Amino acid sequence: MQDGHELYQSLRQFMGGGEDIYKHRLVKSFNYTEGVREFAREAGNGAYWLLDILATEPSIIKHIKHRGFALVLLKVMGSTALLTVADDSDVPPLFAQTIGYTDCPEAPVTPSNPDGVWKFYLEQSYAGDQPIILCMLPNER
């Protein structure tokens, strides 16, 4: 288990064009990158719950299929968190959920992350000719 600063630094190594894409265990049309897998494995005792929410929430799936993109922000405050999904960080979210307990570390506040949030992108993509939703870190886009 890494603290927020260690995890943040570890995730910076993942850049666009990574070779491995992973499929969600239940929703095969929801895929994620190596960096997102690293986050899910290393955030607290694991944060696969985040992928489960993103892969199964109907309002999120519908939005991605219609608009093609969404910004995911996870703001951890102690042992609780706020998960929001929106078109952009400056508009009201299309989805928001309070996570009552998490051991996910808080994201560090840095010049490139002044709000101290974990940020992910959801994007409509294709695996061959099959449409998928791809979850990635901003630096993997």
Side-chain angles (χ1 to χ4, degrees):
M1 179 168 38
Q2 300 178 14
D3 71 22
H5 290 282
E6 292 169 335
L7 182 56
Y8 188 78
Q9 288 304 317
S10 175
L11 296 178
R12 293 183 64 174
Q13 73 177 321
F14 295 97
M15 297 299 212
E19 293 181 18
D20 294 327
I21 300 294
Y22 301 91
K23 291 182 186 211
H24 188 272
R25 60 189 162 76
L26 299 175
V27 182
K28 301 303 181 199
S29 62
F30 185 89
N31 292 222
Y32 51 96
T33 60
E34 293 174 281
V36 173
R37 180 175 182 248
E38 178 77 4
F39 178 85
R41 290 174 67 172
E42 299 298 329
N45 286 308
Y48 284 97
W49 55 265
L50 172 63
L51 301 180
D52 291 346
I53 294 169
L54 297 175
T56 61
E57 174 55 44
S59 63
I60 296 171
I61 307 291
K62 182 179 177 184
H63 179 81
I64 298 302
K65 287 181 178 180
H66 182 259
R67 299 292 299 261
F69 176 83
L71 171 66
V72 177
L73 301 175
L74 181 65
K75 175 71 173 174
V76 180
M77 301 147 293
S79 63
T80 63
L82 177 62
L83 172 64
T84 59
V85 180
D87 278 334
D88 187 301
S89 61
D90 294 333
V91 298
L94 66 104
F95 175 83
Q97 180 175 344
T98 299
I99 309 301
Y101 174 78
T102 183
D103 62 358
C104 179
E106 294 181 18
V109 174
T110 67
S112 61
N113 189 26
D115 296 325
V117 297
W118 297 110
K119 187 183 292 187
F120 306 89
Y121 293 148
L122 295 175
E123 189 170 275
Q124 179 83 40
S125 189
Y126 290 88
D129 61 349
Q130 296 299 313
I132 63 167
I133 293 174
L134 182 62
C135 183
M136 68 193 92
L137 299 174
N139 42 309
E140 290 180 302
R141 189 159 193 230

